[in-house]
Amino acid sequence: RFSLYVTCLFSFFISFSLFSQGFNNTWYFGTKAGITFTTNPPTALTDGQLSTSEGCGTISNSSGALLFYTDGRTVWDKSHGIMSNGGGLNGDASAAQSSIILPKPGSGSLFYVITVGISASVGMQFSIVDMSQNGGLGKVISKNTPINTNLVEKVTAIKHSNGVYYWIIGHESGSAKYHAYLVDCSGINTTPVTSDLTSAGGIPADTWGYLAASPDAKKIAFAAQTSGIELADFNNSTGVFSNPINLGKLTNAGVTGGHYGISFSPNGKVLYATSITNWGLYQWDLTATDIPGSQVFIDDLNGSAGSRPSYRGGALMLGPDNKIYVCQTGQSFLSVINNPNTLGTGCNLQKDAINLGSGVCRLGLPTIIQPFLEPPVITVNPINFCEGNSATFDYNGFDVSVLDSIKWVFDDPASGTLNESNLISTSHTFNTGGTFNVKFIRFLNCFTDTVVKTINVDKTPQIPTSISYSPGTAICSGTTITLTANGGTNPGVSEYVWGTTSGGSDLGSTTTNQLQYAIQDTTTFYVSVSDNGTCLGGSLPTGVKVTVPKKGNQLSNEGESATCYVSGNSLVHFYHVPSGRYIGSVNPQGRTGILTMTSYVYNSGATGSMYWCGDPSKLIYHTEYLGRRFTVKPTGTITGSNNMLVYFPYTSSEIANLYVSSIANLNPNDDVSTIGNIHATKFDGIGGANEEGDPTTNCTGGTSVVLAQDNSGNLTSLSLTPTVIGTNYYTSFSVSDFSEFFLHGKNNLSPLPIDLLSFSAICQESPFIQLNWSTATEENVKQFIIQQLDIENEWITVENVDANGNSSTQQNYSLQTRAFSPTSYFKLISVDFDGSTVEYPPVSVICENSKIDWTIYPNPSSGKTYIQLFSDCEAEYNLSISAINGKIVFDTFISIYKGENLININLDNIAKGAYVVKVNNKQYAPIKLIKVE
């Protein structure tokens, strides 16, 4: 697998790296106008000294810092003073493209300033600037060397196919001839490559108008004042032009001509032009079958003129942000074509987009090379491979056919003579894993550069020798088991792949040798190792079979039990062995241990009465109980302190029996008319002589606790499997410990201190949740405790709410709180004045749009990263960053203010890899962070 960076090293040809990025990030033009692209959007510069009605040129370094600029007559240095010997150039400020600046190939300090005059007799000339002089301010060391004396006032430069040389392009006055002058390591060849396109239908390039090249250097277009617009092909290896297309003349509002600005879109598929006398901006689709017929009028341009043919609009120039900028005569703004690759008005011409401050735009914008120079790129296929495998290396960049030579060096001396290659596309086999710095070197005359790509060749992992699992006993449907791959070797970049078939991957992969899996049925597990699916180490041919008690389709019979290991936060289902009949389920809510659940069924249905143990003589409190009771007993210690959720099933026929029995005892207060009237009584104290099926005998050994059913329906509604034949129901509630449980009807004269009517949670505007609860009666109730399940599955107290105390009428309560995650769980506890408590079943609510309390960006990060965190209060928290193995690599304290917080974290001293970021507040879930080079 390759690292996420490429290091480029350049030698001799310093200007290649110096100008490959921000060379045109600073523009000066018009009357002391300028913009910088170091901001987005670009902003005005008002320190320029240039005042030109049309042409100009500007050059910056790779960071976008200004080097110098010119109007074709005078050269200003970066301090905005006239450069040494910088006056008297033979360009003209009234020439449409008075100048263009380009570096001399093979030099890190010399630049050519190409100028053209307003008269064809002046033509094209060049001067030379040496930036090594005057402490980096530069000096003009040569002036006004003639190139051609019969060219119109337009000029541009195009990169050569080798990516090192240039072509300077001019157009002969009054003819259809292009002239291309090669700029190589020796200098400017003043003998041109001339292309006469007269017979091919080329048009004359009269007087004003811009000349522009496409970004891929394969096409050129010009605007001629009266002749119109022309598009032609250009061979940037030979300098030859061909296939001219006359795009016609521009007409708007009865005015024809005035063609001036010209620019290609960034993808080279759309062409734009302006007329400064009919004020129009126009567009062509260069992919159309009929390109001239694809012309679209975009909009009128702004300017200072009051009536045609006075000038509006002006030059077009593609900026480094891939937007086209439009000059507007006499205005202190620039227009912008925001989406130049889009056809039609969707290109989004924005007038008055860039405020120039005190500067004023005239007709011209700086003539720049499109594009300048681009670094080469190395591609490797495949991108991930292992030791002993071959990879193909290709160079994607400029035309290598014009280079003197190339060479690959693979940083693999153990391969002997195969460590180098002179082929453009080549392959290499790395027989050992490790890190390799592969070099691609280009040689051309005065130019040499080296591109280095660092790759990691992965070692082949060795398969494990066995799989073990825990717990080893008491595994039931829903138990979370830990599978461990033993033996073998597994390099740090590899992963374990798990499946239920040999070589399978249906259970996913892990970066460690363990898999947590909630098993449902008897399953055989297999494991293999790979480098993220690429560098296969093979599969363990023999899996491990984990047996789970079978699941039947009936409820349990009298005295049937099952022992299960419970852990995590999902349902574990208890089935009798060997019949497979369903007994019940437990969600341990983060607690861990072994439980035995037993069901007791009375064939006659409801067989007795329960009553308030505090006063057995009060028959009005009697209630009939269901013909099914349960015990849940721990085997050893159950770790943790959270309440567990238990689910006890029963059949519709049992409810019918309970209803009949309730009527038979002639107790009008025993209400079992609906499913919602089924309650459960749990007796404190586990085991003992009193747990024999008679609730009256438990009165001396514990306190009865009655809890309302919180849901009803088919067993499948809670994913309790299997689907039981017929209509079946369950009662579910939470408990902190276990004992004997009875299911019975609701007695409207219950002596409990509270009769709870409802408890619900409702989503509000993220991240808030409204809790509502109502009581029918209250007797000596002091307060209510509201608890919420945090991200570590622990119940934490959210708020204490004062109760009414004593009431025989309905009381309504509400509380607003925050969500910790999209799914939230809440629990209500009533507290009597004597300290006794009653805990009610939890409720849940899913709020999909709950606000994330904290986030990290950018993620992945190469260095500096930010933590955005919302807090309800001021606090100081511990923030730690840990590796996957748990080792803490960063630890600090952060001060948090109420509301939104933005914290800057520097990761420069942390190695690349995967980490976990934690805040010591359970409201904020841990976040995985990836550090890259």
Side-chain angles (χ1 to χ4, degrees):
R1 186 182 310 108
F2 297 111
S3 59
L4 301 178
Y5 61 91
V6 178
T7 304
C8 296
L9 305 176
F10 304 99
S11 58
F12 303 112
F13 185 41
I14 303 173
S15 61
F16 183 91
S17 62
L18 186 62
F19 299 100
S20 61
Q21 298 296 327
F23 66 95
N24 65 345
N25 273 12
T26 307
W27 292 3
Y28 287 101
F29 53 91
T31 303
K32 295 187 177 182
I35 57 174
T36 174
F37 288 90
T38 56
T39 61
N40 184 22
T43 50
L45 297 173
T46 57
D47 52 0
Q49 299 303 304
L50 183 148
S51 181
T52 175
S53 58
E54 297 191 61
C56 49
T58 310
I59 194 79
S60 302
N61 65 17
S62 60
S63 300
L66 175 68
L67 292 178
F68 62 93
Y69 56 101
T70 181
D71 60 357
R73 300 172 302 181
T74 304
V75 180
W76 287 268
D77 60 33
K78 64 184 179 182
S79 69
H80 305 290
I82 296 176
M83 183 177 286
S84 176
N85 195 33
L89 276 65
N90 285 341
D92 196 301
S94 293
Q97 290 176 285
S98 64
S99 55
I100 188 171
I101 303 168
L102 62 152
K104 179 182 179 181
S107 172
S109 61
L110 299 181
F111 294 82
Y112 294 115
V113 180
I114 313 301
T115 60
V116 293
I118 194 171
S119 169
S121 61
V122 175
M124 183 186 294
Q125 301 180 5
F126 73 89
S127 302
I128 301 176
V129 171
D130 185 353
M131 288 301 297
S132 68
Q133 300 200 34
N134 290 327
L137 292 176
K139 178 181 180 180
V140 179
I141 61 173
S142 173
K143 290 185 191 176
N144 302 325
T145 302
I147 297 176
N148 189 303
T149 58
N150 191 30
L151 300 180
V152 293
E153 54 182 88
K154 55 179 97 275
V155 63
T156 193
I158 303 178
K159 67 179 182 182
H160 190 279
S161 61
N162 63 21
V164 180
Y165 300 161
Y166 298 95
W167 294 100
I168 301 172
I169 308 300
H171 202 288
E172 189 170 301
S173 176
S175 77
K177 292 182 181 179
Y178 290 90
H179 297 286
Y181 301 88
L182 181 65
V183 184
D184 59 18
C185 296
S186 301
I188 299 175
N189 186 344
T190 56
T191 300
V193 177
T194 300
S195 302
D196 188 348
L197 303 185
T198 303
S199 61
I203 63 175
D206 56 355
T207 58
W208 73 41
Y210 267 58
L211 184 70
S214 62
D216 64 358
K218 298 299 178 67
K219 291 186 181 296
I220 199 162
F222 71 78
Q225 176 186 359
T226 58
S227 300
I229 310 294
E230 180 175 278
L231 174 71
D233 292 336
F234 178 65
N235 186 322
N236 65 342
S237 294
T238 64
V240 173
F241 289 84
S242 60
N243 304 320
I245 299 176
N246 186 348
L247 299 182
K249 300 179 180 181
L250 306 178
T251 300
N252 181 32
V255 178
T256 299
H259 316 107
Y260 197 85
I262 196 86
S263 178
F264 289 86
S265 62
N267 65 5
K269 297 179 180 180
V270 185
L271 184 68
Y272 293 86
T274 61
S275 166
I276 58 174
T277 57
N278 70 48
W279 306 352
L281 172 67
Y282 304 81
Q283 180 196 79
W284 290 266
D285 179 3
L286 302 187
T287 66
T289 303
D290 178 13
I291 297 177
S294 70
Q295 182 193 113
V296 174
F297 175 77
I298 299 299
D299 204 349
D300 287 323
L301 297 173
N302 292 340
S304 60
S307 61
R308 295 179 175 85
S310 299
Y311 299 152
R312 284 195 182 184
L316 298 171
M317 194 59 60
L318 180 62
D321 57 358
N322 286 327
K323 298 181 179 182
I324 296 177
Y325 290 80
V326 188
C327 197
Q328 302 175 107
T329 306
Q331 300 295 293
S332 58
F333 291 87
L334 283 177
S335 291
V336 177
I337 303 174
N338 287 294
N339 306 312
N341 290 333
T342 301
L343 294 173
T345 56
C347 67
N348 187 15
L349 171 66
Q350 182 183 359
K351 300 179 183 180
D352 300 344
I354 306 299
N355 190 327
L356 299 177
S358 59
V360 178
C361 192
R362 297 302 177 186
L363 287 174
L365 288 172
T367 302
I368 58 178
I369 303 169
Q370 294 286 356
F372 210 84
L373 283 175
E374 299 172 353
V377 176
I378 293 175
T379 59
V380 187
N381 186 39
I383 58 174
N384 299 324
F385 62 96
C386 302
E387 58 186 6
N389 293 335
S390 176
T392 300
F393 293 82
D394 286 289
Y395 161 77
N396 293 299
F398 303 113
D399 183 1
V400 293
S401 64
V402 296
L403 296 175
D404 294 336
S405 63
I406 63 95
K407 182 169 71 173
W408 294 92
V409 181
F410 297 106
D411 192 26
D412 185 17
S415 63
T417 58
L418 299 179
N419 190 39
E420 295 184 0
S421 173
N422 299 109
L423 300 175
I424 299 301
S425 179
T426 188
S427 62
H428 186 76
T429 299
F430 295 86
N431 290 314
T432 59
T435 300
F436 300 86
N437 295 313
V438 178
K439 298 177 181 178
F440 178 79
I441 307 171
R442 299 188 300 168
F443 304 93
L444 174 64
N445 196 354
C446 60
F447 165 85
T448 300
D449 77 345
T450 300
V451 182
V452 180
K453 193 174 189 75
T454 301
I455 63 171
N456 291 315
V457 179
D458 296 328
K459 296 181 180 296
T460 302
Q462 302 298 314
I463 63 174
T465 56
S466 65
I467 301 174
S468 58
Y469 62 90
S470 63
T473 59
I475 298 176
C476 297
S477 178
T479 296
T480 297
I481 62 173
T482 300
L483 296 160
T484 303
N486 304 303
T489 61
N490 190 34
V493 295
S494 297
E495 63 183 10
Y496 293 84
V497 181
W498 302 86
T500 55
T501 59
S502 181
S505 59
D506 53 296
L507 301 183
S509 60
T510 59
T511 57
T512 68
N513 67 330
Q514 290 189 326
L515 172 70
Q516 303 289 323
Y517 182 73
I519 192 167
Q520 299 297 327
D521 297 288
T522 297
T523 306
T524 301
F525 297 93
Y526 298 84
V527 68
S528 59
V529 285
S530 72
D531 173 28
N532 289 338
T534 302
C535 199
L536 294 177
S539 300
L540 179 62
T542 303
V544 61
K545 184 177 182 179
V546 181
T547 301
V548 174
K550 70 176 182 177
K551 299 183 293 185
N553 59 4
Q554 293 179 334
L555 296 186
S556 60
N557 288 335
E558 165 70 17
E560 294 183 340
S561 67
T563 299
C564 296
Y565 179 86
V566 297
S567 65
N569 193 22
S570 59
L571 287 170
V572 177
H573 309 304
F574 290 67
Y575 290 90
H576 175 244
V577 181
S579 70
R581 285 186 284 268
Y582 175 64
I583 300 172
S585 300
V586 173
N587 184 335
Q589 301 276 71
R591 299 179 66 177
T592 299
I594 298 177
L595 297 173
T596 297
M597 182 182 292
T598 306
S599 67
Y600 299 90
V601 181
Y602 307 117
N603 294 330
S604 59
T607 60
S609 296
M610 301 180 65
Y611 51 88
W612 183 27
C613 293
D615 189 351
S617 66
K618 291 187 178 181
L619 299 180
I620 59 173
Y621 293 139
H622 287 192
T623 181
E624 296 297 308
Y625 55 82
L626 196 66
R628 184 178 295 266
R629 65 183 177 91
F630 301 87
T631 59
V632 182
K633 299 181 180 181
T635 301
T637 301
I638 303 295
T639 62
S641 58
N642 291 337
N643 280 11
M644 297 191 187
L645 297 177
V646 294
Y647 300 83
F648 294 136
Y650 46 91
T651 67
S652 58
S653 61
E654 292 177 51
I655 296 174
N657 291 338
L658 178 60
Y659 177 68
V660 171
S661 297
S662 297
I663 296 175
N665 76 359
L666 301 178
N667 181 1
N669 298 312
D670 190 8
D671 182 1
V672 289
S673 58
T674 66
I675 297 297
N677 296 139
I678 301 299
H679 284 50
T681 292
K682 164 193 169 291
F683 291 97
D684 293 339
I686 300 172
N690 291 334
E691 295 204 340
E692 78 298 69
D694 184 354
T696 62
T697 62
N698 284 271
C699 292
T700 58
T703 303
S704 62
V705 180
V706 181
L707 296 157
Q709 174 185 6
D710 75 341
N711 204 349
S712 63
N714 293 330
L715 292 175
T716 52
S717 67
L718 275 185
S719 299
L720 299 177
T721 54
T723 300
V724 181
I725 296 174
T727 302
N728 298 277
Y729 306 95
Y730 63 87
T731 291
S732 65
F733 54 92
S734 62
V735 292
S736 60
D737 57 12
F738 299 102
S739 182
E740 190 171 36
F741 300 87
F742 285 82
L743 306 180
H744 55 87
K746 174 183 177 183
N747 190 303
N748 290 325
L749 297 178
S750 170
L752 286 176
I754 179 175
D755 190 359
L756 185 67
L757 291 177
S758 64
F759 177 41
S760 63
I762 302 172
C763 299
Q764 293 189 311
E765 183 178 354
S766 178
F768 296 104
I769 293 175
Q770 180 79 24
L771 299 178
N772 300 304
W773 67 99
S774 300
T775 62
T777 61
E778 294 180 18
E779 182 179 346
N780 296 320
V781 182
K782 178 182 179 182
Q783 65 179 3
F784 297 98
I785 299 174
I786 303 297
Q787 292 189 333
Q788 184 173 6
L789 197 65
D790 67 14
I791 59 169
E792 295 181 359
N793 292 320
E794 294 182 1
W795 289 103
I796 60 174
T797 297
V798 175
E799 193 75 53
N800 294 334
V801 178
D802 289 339
N804 184 272
N806 292 279
S807 173
S808 59
T809 60
Q810 180 172 326
Q811 301 295 317
N812 300 314
Y813 300 88
S814 65
L815 174 69
Q816 188 180 68
T817 185
R818 290 171 52 86
F820 291 171
S821 61
T823 302
S824 299
Y825 297 87
F826 299 94
K827 188 165 56 178
L828 179 71
I829 301 172
S830 67
V831 181
D832 201 357
F833 280 105
D834 63 5
S836 61
T837 62
V838 176
E839 186 175 293
Y840 297 92
V843 297
S844 64
V845 63
I846 300 176
C847 302
E848 294 294 344
N849 296 320
S850 291
K851 178 176 179 179
I852 298 175
D853 288 298
W854 75 311
T855 186
I856 296 177
Y857 65 94
N859 189 2
S861 172
S862 60
K864 182 181 291 185
T865 191
Y866 296 90
I867 293 176
Q868 186 172 11
L869 182 147
F870 183 92
S871 179
D872 289 321
C873 59
E874 292 188 5
E876 185 172 73
Y877 296 140
N878 173 257
L879 177 102
S880 65
I881 302 177
S882 303
I884 297 301
N885 62 8
K887 181 180 179 181
I888 295 177
V889 298
F890 182 90
D891 190 68
T892 189
F893 280 91
I894 55 176
S895 295
I896 300 299
Y897 300 96
K898 184 176 182 179
E900 293 289 347
N901 294 263
L902 188 65
I903 301 147
N904 179 9
I905 301 295
N906 193 326
L907 306 178
D908 287 343
N909 295 325
I910 297 178
K912 67 177 182 178
Y915 297 88
V916 176
V917 185
K918 295 181 179 179
V919 172
N920 68 324
N921 183 314
K922 295 178 181 180
Q923 177 177 344
Y924 305 106
I927 295 178
K928 184 177 181 181
L929 170 67
I930 303 298
K931 169 68 186 303
V932 297
E933 290 288 351

